[in-house]
Amino acid sequence: MTFGGSAAGRAQPRRARRFKRTLPAKPAAGYFADDAAAPGSIRLQLNALQALCRQAFAIRLTLIALGAPFATANAADGFPRHAVLTAAVLGVMGSYAMLRDWDRCAPQLLAHPTLMAVDLVFGAILLLTASPASPLAYAAVCTPLLSGLLYGWRGSGVFTGLQLVVLLLVFRAWEHRPGAGASTLLIAGFCVAAGVIGVTLRNLMFRFGTASQALAEANSRLAVAEAVESERARLAREMHDSVAKTLHGLALSAEALAVAADHERNPRALKAQATAVAGAARRAATESRELLTDLRAHTALSHPPMDMVTELAARVADFESRTGIEATFVHRPAPHGQGPALTLPPGAPRQLLAIASEALENTHRHADATHVRVTLECSRSVLRLTVRDDGEGTAVTLDDVRLLANTGHFGLLGMLERAASVAAELRLHSTAHAGTEVTLTLPCASTVPERPSRSPQEEAAHA
C-alpha cells in the first residue's frame, strides 16, 4: 500500500492476512458462486480497493456534512437533538478517520463488519430526522457500495437489505410529505444498484489480478526459456570456435603422426609430429579452461581488459606458424588528432577476435590459400575488420547459413550471431579462383577529449 508513508509499508503484511481471512477460501455455492476469491498476490487489488473505498468515504463525508443541518433543524429540542448531533459528529469522524488513516482503520473494518452496521445506525438516525429528499439520503447509498467492495455478495446483500429497511422506516416517518414516496423509491433503487456495482468492481479487480499474475508468470517462463536458449547458442558458438576446432586439428595431427610412424624412419620428423599433437592438446586444454572461466563469469564486463590489436596480431602469427599459410596483419589507426577516441561496446573485442579466428580457420580448411591478409581499420566512428585470402573462393553466401547449420556446419552461423550481439554488420564476398573477403563493420561511440581551459593571459593574447 502506498498511502500513509512508512506506516503503510509496515502494515501491508498484516492487512493482507486480515483481508484473506475475510474472503472465502473457496467460491461459495448457489447465488454467491460468482463471488471471486482473492488471488495469492493481492497487493494490486488492495491498492485498487483502497482507492475506491477512500473515494466512497470522501463522498459520504461531504454528504453528511451537507445534510446534518437538515437533520438538526428537524429534530425536537432535548434528547432527540442531542442524539442527532451525536450521530452527525460520529458519522463525520468515522468517515474522516477512514479517509485520513485508512492504513490503520481499514483492517478493523475488514475484520469486524459490525462496525459498518454501527455506522449504518448513525446514518439511520440522521435520515429519520431529515427527509428522503435531503443529501443524507444519498449518503445512504455509500453503505451498500462499500459493503460490496469490502465483503462481496454476502456482505452487500446483508447491508443493502438493512439499508432498505431503514429507508422503509424513513418513508413511514415522512409519508405525509409530498414526494416522499418517489424520493424513497429512487434512493432504494440507487442502493440496490450501488451494492451490485460494488461487488462487480471487487470481483473484476480480483479476476484482473489473477489474470495479471498468470500473465506475469507466463512472461517469466518465456524469459527464462529465451535466456536458456540464448545461453545454449552462446555455448555452441564457444565450443565450435575453440575446443571443437582445436580437437579437429588435434585429430588431423594424430592421423599424420600415425601415417609417419608407419613410413617415416627419421626420428626428428616423428618428434615434430608428436610435438604438434602435444601442442594441439595443450591448446584444447587452455581453451577449455577459458571456456569454463567464461561460464563462471557473471557478465562480459568481468573479463579483464585486452589490447585487441596486440591479441589479433598474436593470433595471426599463431595461425601462420600452425598452418604454414603466409598471414599478414595490418593495423590502420585513425590519424592522431583528427578524430575522437573510439569506445567499443562491452564484449566487442572478444567477439571480433572470435570472428577473425573463425575466418582464418575457414581459410585454412576450405580456401586452399597461400596468403591471407587481416586488416583492422579505425575511422572517426567505425571500426572495420577485414580478412581476405587468395584461395579458390566459395559459392556459399550468408543466405545459406541456416542450410549449412542444418548439415552440421555452424561456423558462419556463429560469426553472424557474434556480429549481431555487438550490433555489427558482417559481409561475405567471394569470387571463383580470386579469393574470399570477410568484412565486419562495427559502429562505435566516440569520446571527444575535453580541451584544456585557457588562462586569462592566453585568452587576451588570442583576442
Side-chain angles (χ1 to χ4, degrees):
M1 306 283 280
T2 56
F3 297 91
S6 59
R10 293 191 299 270
Q12 176 71 37
R14 181 178 60 189
R15 290 200 308 277
R17 289 194 299 269
R18 291 183 178 178
F19 205 151
K20 291 179 182 178
R21 217 177 292 134
T22 61
L23 298 170
K26 299 180 180 178
Y31 180 71
F32 302 107
D34 292 333
D35 198 9
S41 176
I42 61 172
R43 180 174 299 179
L44 177 64
Q45 290 71 28
L46 279 175
N47 289 337
L49 281 176
Q50 170 183 263
L52 289 175
C53 292
R54 285 167 64 96
Q55 292 296 326
F57 275 111
I59 294 173
R60 186 175 182 278
L61 173 63
T62 303
L63 293 175
I64 291 177
L66 293 175
F70 292 91
T72 305
N74 293 332
D77 293 335
F79 177 77
R81 179 163 294 182
H82 291 302
V84 169
L85 288 175
T86 302
V89 171
L90 293 177
V92 169
M93 290 179 60
S95 297
Y96 180 76
M98 297 301 299
L99 182 64
R100 177 67 178 84
D101 199 4
W102 173 268
D103 297 323
R104 185 174 300 176
C105 299
Q108 302 298 325
L109 187 62
L110 288 167
H112 305 287
T114 52
L115 294 176
M116 182 73 73
V118 173
D119 184 76
L120 187 145
V121 171
F122 295 150
I125 294 174
L126 294 174
L127 193 56
L128 282 170
T129 53
S131 66
S134 67
L136 286 171
Y138 294 93
V141 178
C142 296
T143 299
L145 177 63
L146 288 168
S147 62
L149 290 172
L150 296 174
Y151 309 122
W153 283 114
R154 294 178 183 274
S156 176
V158 170
F159 284 101
T160 301
L162 292 176
Q163 191 64 64
L164 292 178
V165 172
V166 171
L167 290 175
L168 180 61
L169 295 177
V170 172
F171 171 72
R172 291 293 186 184
W174 291 88
E175 60 182 349
H176 61 279
R177 183 169 181 173
S183 299
T184 304
L185 185 62
L186 179 64
I187 299 302
F190 284 163
C191 288
V192 174
V196 174
I197 290 172
V199 176
T200 303
L201 290 175
R202 175 182 182 274
N203 291 344
L204 284 177
M205 282 186 291
F206 282 142
R207 290 192 174 104
F208 174 76
T210 303
S212 299
Q213 184 177 356
L215 180 60
E217 293 175 354
N219 289 335
S220 177
R221 288 193 295 268
L222 287 176
V224 170
E226 290 178 0
V228 170
E229 187 65 25
S230 175
E231 184 64 14
R232 290 178 61 181
R234 188 184 73 83
L235 288 177
R237 290 194 301 270
E238 297 293 342
M239 292 291 292
H240 176 274
D241 295 344
S242 59
V243 180
K245 179 179 63 179
T246 305
L247 290 178
H248 177 74
L250 178 60
L252 293 178
S253 299
E255 290 175 358
L257 178 59
V259 173
D262 291 336
H263 302 89
E264 187 66 50
R265 298 292 183 250
N266 186 355
R268 292 185 178 180
L270 293 175
K271 182 178 180 180
Q273 292 288 346
T275 302
V277 172
R282 281 192 293 270
R283 281 196 303 274
T286 301
E287 290 169 350
S288 299
R289 285 195 297 271
E290 292 177 354
L291 182 59
L292 291 174
T293 301
D294 181 66
L295 289 175
R296 291 186 177 274
H298 294 291
T299 62
L301 296 177
S302 62
H303 293 281
M306 66 173 65
D307 185 350
M308 191 176 67
V309 176
T310 302
E311 183 67 23
L312 187 56
R315 295 198 182 194
V316 172
D318 177 71
F319 172 79
E320 183 177 21
S321 65
R322 286 189 297 106
T323 62
I325 300 175
E326 182 183 356
T328 305
F329 173 65
V330 179
H331 177 219
R332 296 174 182 169
H336 181 68
Q338 296 187 11
L342 294 181
T343 302
L344 297 179
R350 296 183 65 253
Q351 303 296 349
L352 267 63
L353 290 171
I355 291 173
S357 298
E358 181 61 24
L360 289 172
E361 191 63 27
N362 287 338
T363 298
H364 176 219
R365 292 183 185 178
H366 311 296
D368 194 20
T370 59
H371 180 264
V372 61
R373 182 185 181 92
V374 180
T375 306
L376 183 65
E377 299 177 89
C378 300
S379 63
R380 291 192 173 186
S381 58
V382 173
L383 185 144
R384 184 174 289 104
L385 174 67
T386 305
V387 180
R388 180 176 180 80
D389 63 60
D390 61 352
E392 294 296 325
T394 178
V396 175
T397 65
L398 294 181
D399 296 332
D400 303 326
V401 166
R402 297 297 174 186
L403 180 61
L404 290 173
N406 291 336
T407 59
H409 298 84
F410 302 100
L412 281 178
L413 178 60
M415 293 169 67
L416 279 174
E417 291 177 343
R418 289 183 184 276
S421 69
V422 292
E425 181 184 6
L426 185 70
R427 292 184 178 180
L428 175 66
H429 177 73
S430 182
T431 304
H433 308 294
T436 302
E437 181 179 274
V438 177
T439 303
L440 180 77
T441 304
L442 174 64
C444 302
S446 58
T447 304
V448 181
E450 297 182 358
R451 294 182 178 180
S453 58
R454 297 176 179 176
S455 64
Q457 294 78 8
E458 291 176 340
E459 290 288 348
H462 180 72

